Amino acid sequence: MKALLLLLVVATGSSEAIELPQPIQKEPVRWPTDLPRHTGSRSIQVEFVVLPSGATSDIRLKQSSGQRPCDRAALYAVKRWRYAPRKEPITVVEMVDTCTY
């Protein structure tokens, strides 16, 4: 599985250069094992804020896989991600992974 397909930083209107958040811990998604097999595959896109502490916050689904257990697993993984500390919070939209079911 591809762990990182897309990273989009949402700017806040500042004219300063945007410093991309640097991941220091990105645990993989633990996919549910009780899904029907070989019926589909969809990417999951998540929007979240990287706080000055490096923790993630305000995590929400931007693109669903169509399988609620897969979506929950992706959201839970992003909740555990950590980034290098930064001066200001920044909103990130990231393609988390592809859930195959």
Side-chain angles (χ1 to χ4, degrees):
M1 295 201 182
K2 297 175 184 93
L4 176 63
L5 300 176
L6 170 73
L7 174 66
L8 171 69
V9 177
V10 179
T12 58
S14 173
S15 61
E16 295 180 23
I18 297 173
E19 182 183 330
L20 296 176
Q22 299 299 312
I24 56 175
Q25 177 185 338
K26 289 185 97 173
E27 294 184 30
V29 179
R30 295 182 188 134
W31 299 114
T33 57
D34 58 347
L35 295 173
R37 295 289 176 206
H38 308 294
T39 60
S41 176
R42 292 275 312 265
S43 296
I44 301 170
Q45 189 177 42
V46 176
E47 179 179 43
F48 57 95
V49 174
V50 177
L51 299 173
S53 67
T56 57
S57 175
D58 300 328
I59 304 162
R60 62 183 151 262
L61 198 60
K62 291 288 282 185
Q63 177 183 319
S64 172
S65 67
Q67 291 286 332
R68 185 170 288 188
C70 288
D71 295 343
R72 280 195 305 253
L75 292 170
Y76 183 73
V78 172
K79 185 178 180 178
R80 295 187 319 265
W81 290 358
R82 295 293 175 261
Y83 289 82
R86 49 184 304 109
K87 292 180 183 177
E88 305 255 338
I90 189 166
T91 300
V92 176
V93 177
E94 186 167 331
M95 193 70 68
V96 176
D97 214 333
T98 299
C99 178
T100 302
Y101 47 89

Coordinates of all heavy atoms in Angstrom, one line a residue:
M1 N 0.8 -1.2 0.0 CA 0.0 0.0 0.0 C 0.9 1.2 0.0 O 1.9 1.2 0.6 CB -0.9 0.0 1.2 CG -1.9 -1.1 1.2 SD -3.2 -0.7 2.3 CE -4.1 -2.2 2.2
K2 N 0.4 2.3 -0.6 CA 1.1 3.5 -0.7 C 0.7 4.4 0.5 O -0.4 4.7 0.7 CB 0.8 4.3 -2.0 CG 1.2 3.5 -3.2 CD 0.7 4.2 -4.4 CE 1.0 3.3 -5.6 NZ -0.1 2.5 -6.0
A3 N 1.7 4.7 1.4 CA 1.5 5.4 2.6 C 1.2 6.9 2.4 O 0.4 7.5 3.1 CB 2.6 5.3 3.6
L4 N 1.8 7.5 1.4 CA 1.6 8.9 1.2 C 1.5 9.2 -0.3 O 2.4 9.1 -1.1 CB 2.8 9.7 1.7 CG 2.8 11.2 1.5 CD1 1.6 11.9 2.2 CD2 4.1 11.8 2.0
L5 N 0.3 9.5 -0.7 CA 0.0 9.8 -2.1 C 0.0 11.3 -2.5 O 0.3 11.7 -3.5 CB -1.3 9.1 -2.5 CG -1.4 7.6 -2.3 CD1 -2.8 7.1 -2.7 CD2 -0.3 6.9 -3.2
L6 N -0.5 12.1 -1.5 CA -0.7 13.5 -1.8 C -0.6 14.3 -0.5 O -1.2 13.9 0.5 CB -2.1 13.7 -2.5 CG -2.6 15.1 -2.6 CD1 -1.8 15.8 -3.8 CD2 -4.1 15.1 -2.9
L7 N 0.0 15.4 -0.6 CA 0.1 16.3 0.5 C -0.2 17.7 0.0 O 0.4 18.2 -0.9 CB 1.4 16.3 1.2 CG 1.6 17.3 2.3 CD1 0.7 17.0 3.5 CD2 3.1 17.3 2.7
L8 N -1.3 18.3 0.5 CA -1.7 19.7 0.1 C -1.8 20.5 1.3 O -2.5 20.2 2.2 CB -3.0 19.6 -0.7 CG -3.7 21.0 -1.0 CD1 -2.9 21.7 -2.0 CD2 -5.1 20.8 -1.4
V9 N -1.1 21.6 1.3 CA -1.1 22.5 2.5 C -2.1 23.7 2.1 O -2.0 24.3 1.0 CB 0.3 23.1 2.8 CG1 0.2 24.1 3.9 CG2 1.2 21.9 3.2
V10 N -3.0 24.0 2.9 CA -4.0 25.0 2.7 C -3.5 26.3 3.3 O -3.3 26.4 4.5 CB -5.4 24.6 3.3 CG1 -6.4 25.8 3.1 CG2 -5.9 23.3 2.8
A11 N -3.2 27.3 2.5 CA -2.6 28.5 2.9 C -3.7 29.4 3.6 O -4.9 29.2 3.4 CB -2.0 29.3 1.7
T12 N -3.2 30.3 4.4 CA -4.2 31.1 5.2 C -4.1 32.6 4.8 O -4.6 33.5 5.5 CB -3.8 31.1 6.7 OG1 -2.4 31.5 6.8 CG2 -3.9 29.7 7.3
G13 N -3.7 32.8 3.5 CA -3.7 34.2 3.0 C -2.4 35.0 3.3 O -2.4 36.2 3.0
S14 N -1.5 34.4 3.9 CA -0.2 35.1 4.3 C 0.6 35.2 3.0 O 0.7 34.3 2.2 CB 0.5 34.3 5.4 OG 1.8 34.9 5.6
S15 N 1.4 36.2 2.9 CA 2.3 36.4 1.7 C 3.7 35.7 2.0 O 4.5 35.7 1.2 CB 2.5 37.9 1.4 OG 3.1 38.5 2.5
E16 N 3.9 35.2 3.3 CA 5.2 34.6 3.6 C 5.2 33.2 3.0 O 4.2 32.6 2.8 CB 5.3 34.5 5.1 CG 5.4 35.9 5.8 CD 5.5 35.8 7.3 OE1 6.0 34.7 7.8 OE2 5.2 36.7 8.0
A17 N 6.4 32.7 2.8 CA 6.6 31.4 2.4 C 6.1 30.4 3.4 O 6.2 30.6 4.6 CB 8.1 31.1 2.1
I18 N 5.4 29.4 2.9 CA 4.8 28.4 3.8 C 5.8 27.3 4.1 O 6.4 26.7 3.1 CB 3.5 27.8 3.2 CG1 2.5 28.9 3.1 CG2 3.0 26.7 4.1 CD1 1.3 28.4 2.3
E19 N 6.1 27.0 5.3 CA 7.0 25.9 5.7 C 6.2 24.7 5.9 O 5.2 24.6 6.7 CB 7.7 26.2 7.0 CG 8.7 25.2 7.5 CD 9.3 25.5 8.8 OE1 9.4 26.7 9.1 OE2 9.6 24.6 9.6
L20 N 6.4 23.6 5.0 CA 5.7 22.4 5.1 C 5.9 21.7 6.4 O 7.0 21.7 6.9 CB 6.1 21.5 3.9 CG 5.7 22.0 2.5 CD1 6.2 21.1 1.5 CD2 4.2 22.2 2.4
P21 N 4.9 21.1 7.0 CA 5.1 20.3 8.2 C 5.9 19.1 8.0 O 5.8 18.4 7.0 CB 3.6 20.0 8.6 CG 2.8 20.1 7.4 CD 3.5 21.1 6.5
Q22 N 6.9 18.9 8.9 CA 7.8 17.7 8.7 C 7.3 16.6 9.6 O 7.3 16.7 10.9 CB 9.2 18.2 9.1 CG 9.8 19.3 8.3 CD 9.9 18.9 6.8 OE1 10.4 17.8 6.5 NE2 9.4 19.7 6.0
P23 N 6.9 15.5 9.0 CA 6.5 14.4 9.9 C 7.6 13.7 10.6 O 8.7 13.6 10.1 CB 5.9 13.4 8.8 CG 6.5 13.7 7.5 CD 6.9 15.2 7.6
I24 N 7.3 13.4 11.9 CA 8.3 12.7 12.7 C 7.8 11.3 13.1 O 8.6 10.4 13.5 CB 8.8 13.5 13.9 CG1 7.6 13.9 14.8 CG2 9.6 14.7 13.5 CD1 8.1 14.6 16.1
Q25 N 6.5 11.1 13.1 CA 5.9 9.8 13.4 C 4.6 9.7 12.6 O 3.7 10.4 12.8 CB 5.6 9.7 14.9 CG 4.9 8.4 15.3 CD 4.5 8.4 16.7 OE1 5.1 9.2 17.5 NE2 3.6 7.6 17.1
K26 N 4.6 8.7 11.7 CA 3.4 8.4 10.9 C 3.1 6.9 10.9 O 3.6 6.2 10.1 CB 3.6 8.9 9.4 CG 3.6 10.4 9.3 CD 3.6 10.8 7.9 CE 2.2 11.1 7.4 NZ 2.2 11.7 6.1
E27 N 2.4 6.5 11.9 CA 2.0 5.1 12.0 C 1.1 4.7 10.9 O 0.3 5.5 10.5 CB 1.3 4.9 13.4 CG 2.2 5.1 14.6 CD 1.5 4.7 15.9 OE1 0.7 3.9 15.8 OE2 1.9 5.4 16.9
P28 N 1.3 3.5 10.3 CA 0.5 3.1 9.2 C -1.0 2.9 9.7 O -1.2 2.6 10.9 CB 1.1 1.8 8.8 CG 1.9 1.3 9.9 CD 2.3 2.5 10.7
V29 N -1.9 2.9 8.8 CA -3.3 2.6 9.1 C -3.4 1.1 9.3 O -2.9 0.3 8.6 CB -4.2 3.0 7.9 CG1 -5.6 2.7 8.2 CG2 -4.0 4.5 7.5
R30 N -4.1 0.8 10.4 CA -4.4 -0.6 10.7 C -5.8 -0.9 10.1 O -6.8 -0.6 10.8 CB -4.4 -0.8 12.2 CG -3.0 -0.6 12.8 CD -3.0 -0.9 14.3 NE -1.7 -0.6 14.8 CZ -1.5 0.1 15.9 NH1 -2.5 0.5 16.6 NH2 -0.3 0.4 16.3
W31 N -5.8 -1.5 9.0 CA -7.1 -1.8 8.3 C -7.9 -2.8 9.0 O -7.4 -3.8 9.5 CB -6.8 -2.2 6.8 CG -6.1 -1.1 6.0 CD1 -4.9 -1.2 5.5 CD2 -6.6 0.2 5.7 NE1 -4.6 0.0 4.9 CE2 -5.6 0.8 5.0 CE3 -7.8 0.9 6.0 CZ2 -5.8 2.1 4.5 CZ3 -8.0 2.1 5.5 CH2 -6.9 2.8 4.8
P32 N -9.2 -2.7 9.0 CA -10.1 -3.7 9.5 C -9.9 -5.1 8.8 O -9.7 -5.0 7.5 CB -11.5 -3.2 9.4 CG -11.4 -2.0 8.5 CD -10.0 -1.6 8.4
T33 N -10.0 -6.2 9.4 CA -9.9 -7.5 8.8 C -11.2 -8.1 8.4 O -11.2 -9.2 7.8 CB -9.0 -8.4 9.7 OG1 -9.7 -8.5 10.9 CG2 -7.7 -7.9 9.9
D34 N -12.3 -7.5 8.8 CA -13.6 -8.2 8.6 C -14.4 -7.6 7.5 O -15.6 -7.7 7.5 CB -14.4 -8.1 9.9 CG -14.6 -6.7 10.4 OD1 -13.9 -5.8 9.9 OD2 -15.4 -6.5 11.3
L35 N -13.8 -7.0 6.5 CA -14.5 -6.5 5.4 C -14.7 -7.6 4.3 O -13.9 -8.5 4.2 CB -13.7 -5.3 4.7 CG -13.5 -4.1 5.6 CD1 -12.6 -3.1 4.9 CD2 -14.8 -3.4 5.8
P36 N -15.7 -7.4 3.4 CA -15.8 -8.4 2.3 C -14.6 -8.3 1.4 O -14.1 -7.2 1.2 CB -17.1 -7.9 1.6 CG -17.7 -6.9 2.5 CD -16.7 -6.4 3.5
R37 N -14.1 -9.4 1.0 CA -12.9 -9.4 0.2 C -13.1 -9.2 -1.3 O -14.1 -9.6 -1.9 CB -12.2 -10.8 0.3 CG -11.7 -11.0 1.8 CD -10.5 -10.1 2.1 NE -10.1 -10.3 3.4 CZ -9.5 -9.3 4.1 NH1 -9.3 -8.2 3.6 NH2 -9.2 -9.5 5.4
H38 N -12.2 -8.4 -1.9 CA -12.1 -8.3 -3.4 C -13.3 -7.7 -4.0 O -13.7 -8.1 -5.0 CB -11.7 -9.6 -4.0 CG -10.5 -10.2 -3.4 ND1 -9.3 -9.7 -3.5 CD2 -10.4 -11.4 -2.7 CE1 -8.4 -10.5 -2.8 NE2 -9.1 -11.5 -2.4
T39 N -13.9 -6.7 -3.3 CA -15.1 -6.0 -3.9 C -14.8 -4.6 -4.3 O -15.6 -4.0 -5.0 CB -16.3 -6.0 -2.9 OG1 -15.9 -5.3 -1.7 CG2 -16.7 -7.4 -2.6
G40 N -13.6 -4.0 -3.9 CA -13.3 -2.7 -4.3 C -12.1 -2.1 -3.7 O -11.4 -2.8 -2.9
S41 N -11.7 -0.9 -4.1 CA -10.6 -0.2 -3.6 C -10.8 1.3 -3.7 O -11.1 1.7 -4.8 CB -9.3 -0.7 -4.3 OG -8.2 0.0 -3.9
R42 N -10.6 2.0 -2.7 CA -10.8 3.5 -2.7 C -9.8 4.2 -1.9 O -9.4 3.7 -0.8 CB -12.2 3.9 -2.2 CG -13.4 3.5 -3.0 CD -13.8 4.4 -4.2 NE -13.8 5.8 -3.8 CZ -14.9 6.5 -3.5 NH1 -16.1 5.8 -3.4 NH2 -14.9 7.8 -3.3
S43 N -9.3 5.3 -2.3 CA -8.4 6.2 -1.5 C -9.2 7.0 -0.5 O -10.4 7.3 -0.7 CB -7.6 7.1 -2.4 OG -6.8 6.4 -3.3
I44 N -8.5 7.3 0.6 CA -9.1 8.1 1.6 C -8.4 9.4 1.8 O -7.1 9.4 1.9 CB -9.1 7.3 3.0 CG1 -9.9 6.0 2.8 CG2 -9.7 8.2 4.1 CD1 -9.7 5.1 4.0
Q45 N -9.1 10.5 1.7 CA -8.4 11.8 1.9 C -8.9 12.5 3.2 O -10.1 12.5 3.5 CB -8.8 12.7 0.7 CG -8.0 14.0 0.6 CD -8.4 14.8 -0.6 OE1 -9.5 14.9 -1.0 NE2 -7.4 15.3 -1.3
V46 N -8.0 13.0 4.0 CA -8.3 13.5 5.3 C -7.7 14.9 5.4 O -6.6 15.2 4.9 CB -7.6 12.6 6.4 CG1 -7.8 13.2 7.8 CG2 -8.2 11.2 6.3
E47 N -8.5 15.8 6.0 CA -8.0 17.2 6.3 C -7.8 17.3 7.8 O -8.6 16.8 8.6 CB -9.1 18.2 5.9 CG -8.7 19.6 6.2 CD -9.7 20.6 5.7 OE1 -10.9 20.4 6.0 OE2 -9.4 21.6 5.1
F48 N -6.7 17.9 8.2 CA -6.4 18.1 9.6 C -5.5 19.3 9.8 O -4.9 19.8 8.9 CB -5.7 16.8 10.2 CG -4.4 16.4 9.5 CD1 -3.2 16.8 9.9 CD2 -4.5 15.6 8.3 CE1 -2.1 16.4 9.3 CE2 -3.4 15.2 7.7 CZ -2.1 15.6 8.2
V49 N -5.4 19.7 11.1 CA -4.5 20.8 11.4 C -3.3 20.3 12.2 O -3.4 19.4 13.0 CB -5.3 21.8 12.3 CG1 -4.3 22.9 12.9 CG2 -6.5 22.4 11.6
V50 N -2.1 20.8 11.8 CA -0.9 20.4 12.5 C -0.7 21.6 13.5 O -0.5 22.8 13.1 CB 0.3 20.3 11.6 CG1 1.6 20.0 12.4 CG2 0.1 19.1 10.6
L51 N -0.8 21.3 14.8 CA -0.6 22.3 15.8 C 0.8 22.7 16.0 O 1.7 22.0 15.6 CB -1.2 21.8 17.1 CG -2.7 21.5 17.1 CD1 -3.1 20.8 18.4 CD2 -3.5 22.7 16.8
P52 N 1.1 23.8 16.7 CA 2.5 24.2 17.0 C 3.3 23.1 17.7 O 4.5 22.9 17.6 CB 2.4 25.5 17.8 CG 1.1 26.1 17.3 CD 0.2 24.9 17.1
S53 N 2.6 22.3 18.5 CA 3.2 21.2 19.3 C 3.6 20.1 18.4 O 4.4 19.2 18.8 CB 2.3 20.7 20.3 OG 1.2 20.1 19.8
G54 N 3.0 20.0 17.1 CA 3.3 18.9 16.2 C 2.2 17.9 16.2 O 2.2 17.0 15.4
A55 N 1.2 18.0 17.1 CA 0.1 17.1 17.2 C -0.9 17.4 16.1 O -0.9 18.6 15.6 CB -0.6 17.2 18.6
T56 N -1.7 16.5 15.7 CA -2.8 16.7 14.8 C -4.1 17.0 15.5 O -4.3 16.6 16.6 CB -3.0 15.5 13.8 OG1 -3.3 14.4 14.6 CG2 -1.8 15.3 13.0
S57 N -4.9 17.8 14.9 CA -6.2 18.3 15.5 C -7.2 18.5 14.4 O -6.9 18.6 13.2 CB -5.9 19.6 16.2 OG -7.1 20.1 16.8
D58 N -8.5 18.7 14.8 CA -9.6 19.0 13.8 C -9.5 18.0 12.6 O -9.6 18.5 11.4 CB -9.5 20.4 13.3 CG -9.6 21.4 14.5 OD1 -10.3 21.1 15.5 OD2 -9.0 22.5 14.4
I59 N -9.4 16.7 12.8 CA -9.3 15.7 11.8 C -10.7 15.4 11.2 O -11.6 15.1 12.0 CB -8.6 14.5 12.4 CG1 -7.3 14.8 13.0 CG2 -8.5 13.4 11.3 CD1 -6.8 13.7 13.9
R60 N -10.8 15.5 9.9 CA -12.1 15.2 9.3 C -11.8 14.6 7.9 O -10.8 14.8 7.2 CB -13.0 16.4 9.2 CG -12.4 17.6 8.4 CD -13.4 18.8 8.5 NE -12.6 20.0 8.3 CZ -12.2 20.8 9.3 NH1 -12.5 20.4 10.6 NH2 -11.6 21.9 9.1
L61 N -12.8 13.8 7.5 CA -12.8 13.1 6.3 C -13.1 14.0 5.1 O -14.1 14.7 5.2 CB -13.8 11.9 6.4 CG -13.7 10.8 5.4 CD1 -12.4 10.0 5.5 CD2 -14.9 9.8 5.6
K62 N -12.3 14.0 4.1 CA -12.6 14.8 2.9 C -13.1 13.9 1.7 O -13.9 14.4 0.9 CB -11.3 15.6 2.4 CG -10.8 16.7 3.3 CD -11.7 17.9 3.3 CE -11.5 18.7 2.1 NZ -12.2 19.9 2.0
Q63 N -12.5 12.7 1.7 CA -13.0 11.8 0.6 C -13.1 10.4 1.3 O -12.1 9.8 1.8 CB -12.0 11.7 -0.5 CG -12.3 10.7 -1.6 CD -11.3 10.6 -2.7 OE1 -10.8 11.7 -3.1 NE2 -11.0 9.4 -3.1
S64 N -14.3 9.8 1.3 CA -14.5 8.5 1.9 C -14.1 7.4 1.0 O -14.1 7.5 -0.2 CB -16.0 8.4 2.3 OG -16.3 7.1 2.7
S65 N -13.8 6.3 1.6 CA -13.5 5.0 0.9 C -14.8 4.3 0.5 O -14.8 3.4 -0.3 CB -12.6 4.1 1.7 OG -13.4 3.6 2.8
G66 N -15.9 4.7 1.1 CA -17.2 4.0 0.9 C -17.4 2.9 2.0 O -18.4 2.3 2.0
Q67 N -16.4 2.7 2.8 CA -16.5 1.7 3.8 C -16.2 2.4 5.2 O -15.1 2.8 5.4 CB -15.5 0.6 3.6 CG -15.8 -0.3 2.4 CD -16.9 -1.2 2.7 OE1 -17.2 -1.6 3.8 NE2 -17.6 -1.6 1.6
R68 N -17.2 2.5 6.0 CA -17.0 3.2 7.3 C -15.9 2.7 8.1 O -15.1 3.5 8.7 CB -18.4 3.2 8.0 CG -18.3 4.0 9.3 CD -19.6 4.2 9.9 NE -20.4 5.1 9.0 CZ -21.5 5.6 9.3 NH1 -22.1 5.3 10.4 NH2 -22.1 6.4 8.5
P69 N -15.7 1.4 8.2 CA -14.6 0.9 9.0 C -13.2 1.3 8.5 O -12.3 1.6 9.3 CB -14.7 -0.7 9.0 CG -16.2 -0.9 8.6 CD -16.6 0.3 7.8
C70 N -13.1 1.4 7.2 CA -11.8 1.9 6.6 C -11.6 3.4 6.9 O -10.5 3.8 7.3 CB -11.8 1.7 5.1 SG -11.6 0.0 4.5
D71 N -12.7 4.2 6.8 CA -12.6 5.6 7.1 C -12.2 5.8 8.5 O -11.3 6.7 8.8 CB -13.9 6.3 6.8 CG -14.3 6.2 5.3 OD1 -13.4 6.0 4.5 OD2 -15.5 6.5 5.0
R72 N -12.8 5.1 9.5 CA -12.5 5.2 10.9 C -11.0 4.9 11.2 O -10.4 5.5 12.0 CB -13.4 4.4 11.7 CG -14.8 5.0 12.0 CD -15.6 4.3 13.1 NE -15.7 2.9 12.9 CZ -16.8 2.3 12.5 NH1 -17.9 2.9 12.3 NH2 -16.8 1.0 12.3
A73 N -10.6 3.8 10.5 CA -9.2 3.4 10.7 C -8.2 4.5 10.3 O -7.2 4.8 10.9 CB -8.9 2.1 10.0
A74 N -8.5 5.1 9.1 CA -7.6 6.2 8.6 C -7.7 7.4 9.6 O -6.6 8.0 9.9 CB -8.1 6.6 7.2
L75 N -8.8 7.8 10.0 CA -8.9 8.9 11.0 C -8.2 8.6 12.3 O -7.5 9.5 12.8 CB -10.4 9.2 11.3 CG -11.2 9.8 10.1 CD1 -12.7 9.8 10.4 CD2 -10.7 11.1 9.7
Y76 N -8.3 7.4 12.7 CA -7.6 7.0 14.0 C -6.0 7.1 13.8 O -5.3 7.5 14.7 CB -8.0 5.7 14.4 CG -7.4 5.2 15.7 CD1 -7.8 5.8 16.9 CD2 -6.4 4.3 15.8 CE1 -7.2 5.5 18.1 CE2 -5.8 3.9 17.0 CZ -6.2 4.5 18.2 OH -5.6 4.1 19.3
A77 N -5.6 6.7 12.6 CA -4.1 6.7 12.3 C -3.6 8.1 12.3 O -2.6 8.5 12.9 CB -3.8 6.0 11.0
V78 N -4.3 9.0 11.6 CA -3.9 10.4 11.5 C -3.9 11.1 12.9 O -3.0 11.9 13.2 CB -4.8 11.2 10.6 CG1 -4.5 12.7 10.6 CG2 -4.7 10.7 9.1
K79 N -4.8 10.7 13.8 CA -4.8 11.2 15.2 C -3.5 10.9 15.9 O -3.1 11.7 16.8 CB -6.0 10.6 15.9 CG -6.2 11.1 17.3 CD -7.5 10.4 17.9 CE -7.7 10.9 19.3 NZ -8.9 10.4 19.9
R80 N -2.9 9.8 15.6 CA -1.6 9.4 16.2 C -0.4 10.0 15.5 O 0.7 9.8 16.1 CB -1.5 7.9 16.3 CG -2.6 7.2 17.1 CD -2.4 5.7 17.3 NE -2.0 5.0 16.1 CZ -2.8 4.4 15.3 NH1 -4.1 4.4 15.5 NH2 -2.3 3.8 14.2
W81 N -0.5 10.6 14.4 CA 0.6 11.2 13.7 C 1.2 12.3 14.5 O 0.5 13.1 15.1 CB 0.3 11.6 12.3 CG 0.0 10.5 11.3 CD1 0.0 9.2 11.5 CD2 -0.5 10.6 10.0 NE1 -0.3 8.5 10.4 CE2 -0.6 9.3 9.5 CE3 -0.7 11.7 9.2 CZ2 -1.1 9.1 8.1 CZ3 -1.2 11.5 7.9 CH2 -1.3 10.2 7.4
R82 N 2.5 12.5 14.3 CA 3.2 13.7 15.0 C 4.1 14.3 14.0 O 4.8 13.7 13.2 CB 4.0 13.2 16.2 CG 3.1 12.7 17.3 CD 2.2 13.8 17.9 NE 1.3 13.3 18.9 CZ 0.0 13.0 18.7 NH1 -0.5 13.2 17.5 NH2 -0.7 12.6 19.7
Y83 N 4.2 15.7 14.1 CA 5.1 16.5 13.2 C 6.0 17.2 14.1 O 5.8 17.4 15.3 CB 4.2 17.4 12.4 CG 3.4 16.7 11.3 CD1 2.2 16.1 11.6 CD2 3.8 16.6 10.0 CE1 1.4 15.4 10.7 CE2 3.1 16.0 9.1 CZ 1.9 15.4 9.4 OH 1.2 14.7 8.4
A84 N 7.1 17.7 13.4 CA 8.0 18.6 14.1 C 7.3 19.8 14.6 O 6.4 20.4 13.9 CB 9.2 18.9 13.2
P85 N 7.7 20.3 15.8 CA 7.1 21.6 16.3 C 7.3 22.7 15.3 O 8.2 22.8 14.6 CB 7.8 21.8 17.6 CG 8.3 20.5 18.0 CD 8.7 19.8 16.7
R86 N 6.3 23.6 15.3 CA 6.3 24.7 14.3 C 5.8 26.0 15.0 O 5.2 25.9 16.1 CB 5.5 24.4 13.1 CG 4.1 23.8 13.3 CD 3.4 23.4 12.1 NE 3.3 24.5 11.1 CZ 4.0 24.6 10.0 NH1 4.8 23.7 9.6 NH2 3.8 25.7 9.2
K87 N 6.0 27.1 14.4 CA 5.5 28.4 15.0 C 4.0 28.6 15.0 O 3.4 29.1 15.9 CB 6.2 29.6 14.3 CG 7.7 29.6 14.5 CD 8.3 30.8 13.8 CE 9.8 30.8 14.0 NZ 10.5 31.8 13.2
E88 N 3.4 28.2 13.9 CA 2.0 28.5 13.7 C 1.3 27.2 13.3 O 1.8 26.3 12.6 CB 1.8 29.5 12.5 CG 2.5 30.8 12.7 CD 1.6 31.9 13.1 OE1 0.4 31.8 12.9 OE2 2.1 32.9 13.7
P89 N 0.0 27.0 13.6 CA -0.8 25.9 13.1 C -0.9 26.0 11.6 O -0.9 27.1 11.1 CB -2.1 26.0 13.9 CG -2.2 27.4 14.3 CD -0.8 27.9 14.4
I90 N -1.1 24.9 11.0 CA -1.3 24.8 9.5 C -2.3 23.7 9.2 O -2.3 22.7 9.8 CB 0.0 24.7 8.8 CG1 -0.1 24.9 7.3 CG2 0.7 23.3 9.1 CD1 1.2 25.0 6.5
T91 N -3.2 24.0 8.2 CA -4.1 23.0 7.8 C -3.6 22.2 6.6 O -3.0 22.8 5.7 CB -5.5 23.7 7.3 OG1 -6.0 24.4 8.5 CG2 -6.5 22.7 6.9
V92 N -3.7 20.9 6.7 CA -3.2 20.0 5.7 C -4.3 19.1 5.2 O -5.1 18.7 5.9 CB -2.1 19.1 6.3 CG1 -1.5 18.1 5.4 CG2 -0.9 20.0 6.9
V93 N -4.3 18.9 3.9 CA -5.1 17.8 3.3 C -4.2 16.8 2.7 O -3.3 17.1 1.9 CB -6.0 18.4 2.1 CG1 -6.9 17.4 1.5 CG2 -6.9 19.5 2.7
E94 N -4.4 15.5 3.1 CA -3.5 14.5 2.7 C -4.3 13.2 2.3 O -5.3 12.9 2.9 CB -2.6 14.1 3.8 CG -1.5 13.1 3.5 CD -0.4 13.1 4.5 OE1 -0.1 14.0 5.2 OE2 0.2 12.0 4.6
M95 N -3.9 12.6 1.2 CA -4.4 11.3 0.8 C -3.7 10.3 1.7 O -2.5 10.1 1.6 CB -4.1 11.0 -0.7 CG -4.8 9.9 -1.2 SD -6.6 10.2 -1.4 CE -6.6 11.4 -2.7
V96 N -4.4 9.7 2.6 CA -3.8 8.9 3.6 C -3.4 7.5 3.1 O -2.2 7.1 3.3 CB -4.8 8.7 4.8 CG1 -4.3 7.7 5.8 CG2 -5.2 10.0 5.4
D97 N -4.3 6.8 2.4 CA -3.9 5.5 1.9 C -5.1 5.0 1.1 O -6.1 5.6 0.9 CB -3.6 4.5 3.1 CG -2.6 3.5 2.8 OD1 -2.4 3.2 1.6 OD2 -1.9 3.1 3.7
T98 N -4.9 3.8 0.6 CA -6.0 3.1 -0.2 C -6.5 1.9 0.6 O -5.7 1.1 1.0 CB -5.4 2.7 -1.6 OG1 -5.0 3.9 -2.3 CG2 -6.5 2.0 -2.4
C99 N -7.8 1.9 0.8 CA -8.4 0.7 1.5 C -8.9 -0.3 0.4 O -9.7 0.1 -0.4 CB -9.5 1.2 2.3 SG -10.4 -0.1 3.2
T100 N -8.4 -1.5 0.4 CA -8.8 -2.5 -0.5 C -9.7 -3.4 0.2 O -9.4 -3.9 1.3 CB -7.6 -3.3 -1.1 OG1 -6.8 -2.4 -1.7 CG2 -8.1 -4.3 -2.1
Y101 N -10.9 -3.6 -0.3 CA -11.9 -4.5 0.3 C -12.6 -5.3 -0.7 O -12.4 -5.2 -1.9 CB -12.9 -3.7 1.2 CG -13.5 -2.5 0.4 CD1 -14.6 -2.6 -0.4 CD2 -12.8 -1.2 0.5 CE1 -15.1 -1.5 -1.0 CE2 -13.3 -0.1 -0.2 CZ -14.5 -0.3 -0.9 OH -14.9 0.8 -1.6

